[in-house]
Amino acid sequence: MKGVPMESIGTFILDQVLKMQWLSELIAALLGALGIDAAGQWGGTLHFFIYDTVKIVTLLCVLVFAISYIQSHFPPERSRKIMGRFKGIWGNVVGALLGTVTPFCSCSSIPLFIGFTRAGLPLGVTFSFLISSPMVDLGSLVLIMSIFGPGVAVAYTVVGLLIAIAGGTIIQRMGMEEHLADFVRGDAPADAELLSMTVAERLAYARKETWGTFKKVFPYILLGVGIGAFIHNWIPAEWIELVLGDGNPFAVVLATLVGAPIYADTFGAIPIAEALYYKGTGLGTVLAFMMSVTTLSIPSLTMLSRVIKPKLMVTFLGLCIVGMCISGYVFNFLQPLF
């Protein structure tokens, strides 16, 4: 594309590929053809619901397929071997980075956490993985970019990784291995031969993972989009501003605590966050809410409570909540830069 500025190409990719503005315009036109005003309250609710659902499902399927194909080259045994080469804080860095290419929800990260722990990896490294896996992944990077732009997406990813690295490092320094359940502290399994897969087998694996993930998260996408559509079109901006606006110094803390009981992954949290943001909620408050929803869901904490003892659970929760709140206030302060 000679003569076309790179900025124009980037804008096109962001607006038409990630944000899918063409889809928004198409849905508005179709609703108009049916006599429904997409700018009205009911029409706007319907437009938001259809547009966000189709956009998120499309991105979900494309991203999960691509990432699953990549993951087929890194089964748990190979990942364990890679992570085992790094010591100290570098192990935490690798653990956090590995979490970015692993499952999309906290519940599916816990079995890998158990496997890595039983394999003899340092506790801090496994917790860096456990924190980053649901909070920061390639899917969230693309989805956040599609809503808030590349600057916010990159900043969110960096902060999420820093929380994961810091949390794992602190847990390691506290020497809390004795607070693991006994069955998790078993002997490391013997090395197994890595499965050699053909390209066709990897594609089949990626399709299977995509379909499995879609079936698991689609109900939560619908729920999240429904909540987002309701917030976007029916709750007055003044109400949102009163509770989660800059005038409330505890807005970030409140958003973090409110987000924890909600069970959703990035794909379900995005439409709620989008609606809150466009109603005037601070960027940091919205991102703290997203981090809490994806990392501290009740089902995942219930599963985790069977693996770690109460003292370690409280430490894990405290570190995550403090990290999310700090990042929320920092993002709110820096919001003018984005």
Side-chain angles (χ1 to χ4, degrees):
M1 298 179 66
K2 186 176 180 180
V4 178
M6 290 302 296
E7 182 178 353
S8 298
I9 297 174
T11 300
F12 176 83
I13 293 174
L14 179 61
D15 291 342
Q16 303 301 331
V17 178
L18 297 179
K19 292 186 177 181
M20 297 186 192
Q21 288 185 354
W22 60 269
L23 177 64
S24 177
E25 295 167 1
L26 175 62
I27 293 172
L30 291 175
L31 290 175
L34 296 173
I36 301 173
D37 181 11
Q41 197 167 36
W42 281 104
T45 302
L46 189 59
H47 178 274
F48 186 102
F49 186 84
I50 297 173
Y51 166 62
D52 264 42
T53 298
V54 175
K55 180 182 70 173
I56 292 173
V57 167
T58 301
L59 289 174
L60 164 71
C61 293
V62 171
L63 290 167
V64 174
F65 185 88
I67 294 171
S68 296
Y69 186 86
I70 295 171
Q71 280 184 300
S72 70
H73 293 274
F74 295 93
E77 180 64 18
R78 174 176 287 182
S79 300
R80 182 190 68 80
K81 288 181 177 180
I82 293 173
M83 293 168 66
R85 298 173 185 169
F86 297 88
K87 307 298 180 183
I89 193 170
W90 291 111
N92 296 100
V93 172
V94 173
L97 289 173
L98 184 63
T100 64
V101 291
T102 47
F104 294 96
C105 71
S106 50
C107 288
S108 51
S109 303
I110 292 174
L112 284 174
F113 165 77
I114 295 173
F116 289 149
T117 304
R118 284 183 59 85
L121 289 175
L123 184 63
V125 174
T126 59
F127 266 96
S128 289
F129 165 82
L130 183 64
I131 295 170
S132 74
S133 182
M135 184 186 297
V136 182
D137 55 54
L138 298 180
S140 68
L141 176 64
V142 174
L143 279 174
I144 294 172
M145 190 180 301
S146 73
I147 302 297
F148 303 106
V152 173
V154 172
Y156 174 89
T157 301
V158 170
V159 170
L161 289 173
L162 289 176
I163 292 174
I165 294 167
T169 301
I170 292 172
I171 288 175
Q172 186 66 45
R173 295 287 178 86
M174 294 177 70
M176 305 190 74
E177 286 80 4
E178 64 183 31
H179 296 283
L180 288 168
D182 292 338
F183 78 91
V184 181
R185 291 185 284 172
D187 295 329
D191 286 347
E193 290 295 323
L194 295 176
L195 178 63
S196 178
M197 300 174 68
T198 65
V199 172
E201 289 171 334
R202 295 187 193 282
L203 291 172
Y205 169 79
R207 286 194 296 269
K208 179 181 177 182
E209 290 295 303
T210 301
W211 176 241
T213 301
F214 171 78
K215 289 192 297 183
K216 182 172 63 176
V217 306
F218 185 62
Y220 301 105
I221 291 176
L222 293 179
L223 179 61
V225 173
I227 293 173
F230 177 75
I231 293 172
H232 191 271
N233 292 280
W234 293 92
I235 297 183
E238 295 78 12
W239 294 9
I240 301 293
E241 181 68 24
L242 179 64
V243 178
L244 296 177
D246 294 337
N248 182 0
F250 301 105
V252 172
V253 177
L254 181 61
T256 302
L257 296 178
V258 167
I262 300 175
Y263 178 51
D265 57 12
T266 304
F267 302 100
I270 275 284
I272 303 175
E274 178 185 12
L276 290 172
Y277 181 68
Y278 288 122
K279 282 292 185 179
T281 302
L283 177 62
T285 305
V286 169
L287 296 182
F289 170 80
M290 281 185 54
M291 289 180 176
S292 179
V293 168
T294 55
T295 309
L296 303 179
S297 68
I298 296 299
S300 67
L301 294 181
T302 300
M303 290 177 60
L304 191 60
S305 68
R306 300 178 183 273
V307 179
I308 64 177
K309 297 178 181 178
K311 185 175 181 179
L312 183 51
M313 174 68 83
V314 171
T315 303
F316 167 73
L317 286 173
L319 289 172
C320 287
I321 290 172
V322 169
M324 292 169 189
C325 289
I326 291 174
S327 65
Y329 284 111
V330 169
F331 269 112
N332 277 345
F333 179 75
L334 298 177
Q335 183 168 347
L337 299 179
F338 296 101

